[in-house]
Amino acid sequence: MIIIISSPSGVGKTTIAKNLEKSNFERIVTYTSRPKRPIEIESVDYYFIGKEKFDEFIKKDFFAEFSYVHDNYYGISKESLQSNSKHKILTIDIQGAAKIKKIMPSVVTIFLLPPSFEEWMRRISKTQRNNFDIRLKNAIKELDEVWNFEYAIVNYSIEKTVQQIRTIVSCEEAKCKKDIENLINELEINIKKRKEE
Ligand SMILES: Nc1ncnc2c1ncn2[C@@H]1O[C@H](COP(=O)(O)OP(=O)(O)OP(=O)(O)O)[C@@H](O)[C@H]1O
């Protein structure tokens, strides 16, 4: 299952994804053209490939989706969206989430909200991001998109949010899905066989 976690800047999606990673979720590492910040780690936070390489990858049709956000490119490789046995977490901006949902309707989309404006500003200032005003301006439009997501979680505490996401995954797994078709067929065949005996 692929779980998309999206939010305006500074609400805590990266923190939550890193915590989920500690408990057996696989975090999808995405690509960016922006330079690496000193505290970031190559291939852990992003694949930092620069603008030229990013353009080359676009031409090669390498990305399932890419966006231009806050003056930089961000993209997700097609390969990273292929399924394996683990649940995958993808943190992505809101416009990117909508694009992925369109091409992969089976992804589960979660929108993170801050507990309050004051707490959000505290968190966003800790990250020392540039383009603060652009981020806040974008957030007005982004908050309106919450209604297009399947779930919304208010990110009060890391532990609570991680627990809520685990609960969502359990519920999603219990939904009637195509992959139980074979099991249902087998059960029905056996019921009929028993009746005939
Ligand atoms: N539940 C929480 N309680 C307290 N602090 C939190 C919580 N979640 C995240 N934070 C803090 O908020 C700050 C922003 O978090 P983070 O970098 O994960 O946000 P983000 O949504 O990924 O931001 P961006 O989109 O700008 O990369 C960090 O300092 C992080 O430690």
Side-chain angles (χ1 to χ4, degrees):
M1 186 187 305
I2 295 178
I3 300 111
I4 288 186
I5 306 179
S6 215
S7 75
S9 183
V11 174
K13 55 191 168 301
T14 312
T15 308
I16 296 302
K18 286 187 174 169
N19 275 272
L20 283 164
E21 202 175 18
K22 289 183 206 154
S23 55
N24 228 13
F25 284 77
E26 184 180 312
R27 196 164 52 88
I28 294 177
V29 181
T30 56
Y31 291 73
T32 182
S33 65
R34 78 158 165 75
K36 188 173 86 58
R37 298 178 188 127
I39 55 154
E40 290 175 322
I41 301 169
E42 164 63 31
S43 311
V44 173
D45 292 293
Y46 287 99
Y47 297 112
F48 296 94
I49 58 171
K51 171 91 174 61
E52 217 168 279
K53 189 108 190 146
F54 208 103
D55 282 337
E56 193 186 310
F57 279 13
I58 293 172
K59 283 190 197 119
K60 285 186 177 159
D61 201 22
F62 175 79
F63 296 115
E65 185 277 332
F66 66 90
S67 310
Y68 193 66
V69 188
H70 305 136
D71 299 333
N72 290 295
Y73 279 111
Y74 294 85
I76 298 135
S77 72
K78 288 184 176 168
E79 192 219 330
S80 68
L81 295 178
Q82 278 159 15
S83 65
N84 62 16
S85 56
K86 277 193 167 185
H87 294 314
K88 293 188 176 186
I89 295 284
L90 174 61
T91 53
I92 187 176
D93 67 287
I94 283 136
Q95 40 169 310
K99 287 193 210 163
I100 298 285
K101 183 73 187 172
K102 209 166 175 187
I103 56 171
M104 283 187 83
S106 63
V107 299
V108 177
T109 53
I110 301 175
F111 194 110
L112 279 195
L113 288 162
S116 66
F117 182 71
E118 289 73 25
E119 174 58 18
W120 182 19
M121 292 305 103
R122 259 194 297 278
R123 288 182 194 174
I124 213 170
S125 63
K126 274 203 277 175
T127 63
Q128 297 181 330
R129 299 274 192 272
N130 55 2
N131 303 334
F132 180 80
D133 290 329
I134 302 179
R135 283 167 198 273
L136 271 196
K137 202 172 136 217
N138 287 345
I140 296 176
K141 275 187 256 145
E142 291 171 338
L143 287 167
D144 278 342
E145 295 299 317
V146 66
W147 312 109
N148 296 325
F149 281 68
E150 286 149 297
Y151 298 92
I153 297 178
V154 180
N155 182 21
Y156 291 105
S157 78
I158 295 170
E159 296 69 29
K160 191 165 179 232
T161 302
V162 165
Q163 189 46 51
Q164 279 177 295
I165 293 174
R166 292 182 149 287
T167 305
I168 287 170
V169 169
S170 302
C171 292
E172 288 290 329
E173 279 178 329
K175 275 188 181 169
C176 280
K177 296 226 176 87
K178 277 263 176 273
D179 59 6
I180 57 166
E181 233 168 47
N182 288 343
L183 173 64
I184 301 293
N185 285 341
E186 192 203 314
L187 295 175
E188 284 175 353
I189 288 167
N190 280 294
I191 293 168
K192 281 178 198 154
K193 264 193 200 161
R194 240 186 103 99
K195 270 195 200 158
E196 285 159 12
E197 277 168 12

